[in-house]
Amino acid sequence: MTVILGIETSCDETAAAVVVDGRTILSNIVASQIELHRQYGGVFPEMASREHVKALLPVVTAAVQEADVDWDELDAVAVTAGPGLAGSLLVGVNAAKGLAFWRGLPLVGVNHLEGHIYSNWIETEGNRPEKVFPVLVLIVSGGHTELVLMRDHGRYQRLGGTIDDAAGEAFDKVARLLALGYPGGPAIQHAAREGNPRAFDLPRAWLPGTHDFSFSGLKTAVLRQVQQYEGQDASTSRRLTPGRSLPPELVADLAASFQEAVVDVLVAKTCAAAEQFSATEICVCGGVAANAHLRAAFLQQAPVPVSIPPLYLCTDNAVMIAAAGHYRYRAGYRSRLDLDVVANLPLAADNKTVQEMQV
Ligand code: KG4
Ligand code: ZN
């Protein structure tokens, strides 16, 4: 049995969790900074790091207390080393080093994307943690849209990803265009409930012959609709704040049509890749996996079983970092105390992307 303390500070959530054997949650504490960043319409990096500094120790203490474990019962400290905001990552990594050094515990650096992937291995109601490889993974978050073939624990083959905006980023930008606020994903989903998904025939970038995605053309198409309604010409759009005067029915129709276009492409391309690579299962993860329409479409259309974590494990959390840390720990990976953060850390095929040694 391994008991891992996970720490996550890559963006705007300060999180800590204790997880047994990579699947059983003993505690899950998340301090969200959403309210703070809402006034800026997005994450303000400087403020995010400062908030992490303030929140981290109380969050870690609460995670250990709620798990009802003694520090001596922990086997390792797992922490997100990238990708993410460098200043935010540093807060978690430095704290994890301090805790590991203080308690004489192994330190395990984890890739945030690998964390999202392992949210599908957590024991929750309706989830099947036992999986047969290869598994096809779609990571859809605020910063990433990646299609990955997972051949074994820690073995990832990147098939493709977005060539411009991430899916979550597109939700956030379109929400801003429609004056729906931040974070955009939940706001669009909410507005779309009253809208007609076929009201606007928005473009879908199929990028045939690739496993890549593109969402910037779709975002521009929404902007054009907003401008058309507001009578602006494209060249003046940057000086004006679009979306403020749109009628609610138009906002709902644009939100629903946009959401439909994103979901159509994500689901169709993921299902096609699952068939092409004979995956036994599709695992969807990341903040956008919280989207109700995306979840329903996958469950309806997928040619193989689909695993999507419950909402609280889709958005950033430390349970998934502890879970990914468990598999790295089990495979013998230990990070050195000079572990550094890497803002654009890729999900590497050989799983050796952070300074570490195999013991
Ligand atoms: O995984 P996450 O919490 O953070 C990153 O690692 O980026 O993902 C955050 C992203 C945001 O872009 C947010 O708008 C999006 O996930 N999101 C959603 C929904 N809930 C969160 N997008 C669509 N529908 C949702 N219900
Ligand atoms: Zn994330």
Side-chain angles (χ1 to χ4, degrees):
M1 183 175 95
T2 64
V3 186
I4 311 269
L5 168 67
I7 295 177
E8 153 67 36
T9 63
S10 69
C11 191
D12 59 345
E13 255 94 37
T14 317
V18 178
V19 174
V20 175
D21 288 338
R23 58 178 50 175
T24 310
I25 304 175
L26 294 189
S27 64
N28 175 24
I29 309 290
V30 181
S32 172
Q33 303 175 7
I34 281 186
E35 286 313 318
L36 174 74
H37 298 294
R38 200 188 294 280
Q39 57 190 306
Y40 306 106
V43 178
F44 194 135
E46 270 296 304
M47 293 198 129
S49 342
R50 277 193 232 169
E51 288 304 304
H52 285 309
V53 170
K54 282 196 244 167
L56 198 92
L57 272 183
V59 164
V60 169
T61 308
V64 174
Q65 270 173 5
E66 195 178 298
D68 203 16
V69 291
D70 197 78
W71 280 94
D72 293 333
E73 293 171 74
L74 296 175
D75 291 290
V77 180
V79 64
T80 309
L85 300 169
S88 292
L89 289 163
L90 267 174
V91 179
V93 165
N94 283 336
K97 285 181 190 174
L99 292 169
F101 185 69
W102 169 51
R103 299 306 311 189
L105 289 168
L107 177 70
V108 181
V110 169
N111 183 303
H112 182 80
L113 300 177
E114 193 174 22
H116 275 302
I117 292 175
Y118 276 100
S119 61
N120 277 291
W121 267 258
I122 311 290
E123 225 164 41
T124 55
E125 218 172 302
N127 189 22
R128 298 164 302 108
E130 296 305 335
K131 301 191 192 301
V132 178
F133 293 108
V135 163
L136 191 83
V137 182
L138 174 69
I139 308 170
V140 266
S141 70
H144 293 87
T145 300
E146 307 264 319
L147 208 46
V148 176
L149 187 66
M150 188 172 173
R151 297 191 183 275
D152 201 345
H153 288 295
R155 280 192 62 207
Y156 310 106
Q157 180 186 346
R158 183 181 186 274
L159 302 177
T162 182
I163 57 169
D164 40 55
D165 293 345
E169 193 180 352
F171 270 93
D172 293 337
K173 286 180 175 170
V174 166
R176 213 171 300 150
L177 281 177
L178 301 177
L180 285 173
Y182 169 85
I188 296 249
Q189 178 179 321
H190 186 77
R193 285 195 313 191
E194 309 295 323
N196 172 7
R198 273 166 289 282
F200 294 92
D201 188 16
L202 297 175
R204 280 123 170 102
W206 292 108
L207 307 182
T210 74
H211 299 291
D212 289 332
F213 300 94
S214 164
F215 299 108
S216 72
L218 175 58
K219 174 196 66 194
T220 307
V222 176
L223 173 65
R224 294 283 174 267
Q225 293 296 337
V226 172
Q227 286 171 332
Q228 206 173 330
Y229 178 83
E230 294 184 339
Q232 295 173 21
D233 100 49
S235 58
T236 61
S237 66
R238 291 189 190 287
R239 280 182 276 125
L240 301 171
T241 311
R244 300 278 161 211
S245 56
L246 298 178
E249 314 80 62
L250 179 63
V251 170
D253 283 347
L254 276 171
S257 303
F258 163 79
Q259 180 177 257
E260 182 87 353
V262 174
V263 168
D264 270 0
V265 176
L266 287 176
V267 174
K269 293 201 75 161
T270 305
C271 292
E275 286 195 314
Q276 184 183 342
F277 292 95
S278 305
T280 63
E281 180 169 340
I282 291 172
C283 291
V284 191
C285 55
V288 182
N291 185 271
H293 187 48
L294 182 74
R295 299 168 80 92
F298 262 118
L299 294 174
Q300 264 168 19
Q301 297 172 37
V304 290
V306 183
S307 163
I308 314 181
L311 301 194
Y312 68 95
L313 293 178
C314 287
T315 46
D316 288 348
N317 63 85
V319 168
M320 67 188 198
I321 303 304
H326 162 82
Y327 287 94
R328 277 190 168 232
Y329 175 83
R330 206 183 66 168
Y333 286 98
R334 308 287 183 266
S335 298
R336 301 191 308 244
L337 280 180
D338 64 353
L339 172 70
D340 201 359
V341 304
V342 184
N344 59 355
L345 186 67
L347 187 64
D350 65 358
N351 202 2
K352 279 188 199 161
T353 50
V354 284
Q355 295 96 321
E356 58 193 7
M357 49 193 177
Q358 198 165 15
V359 293

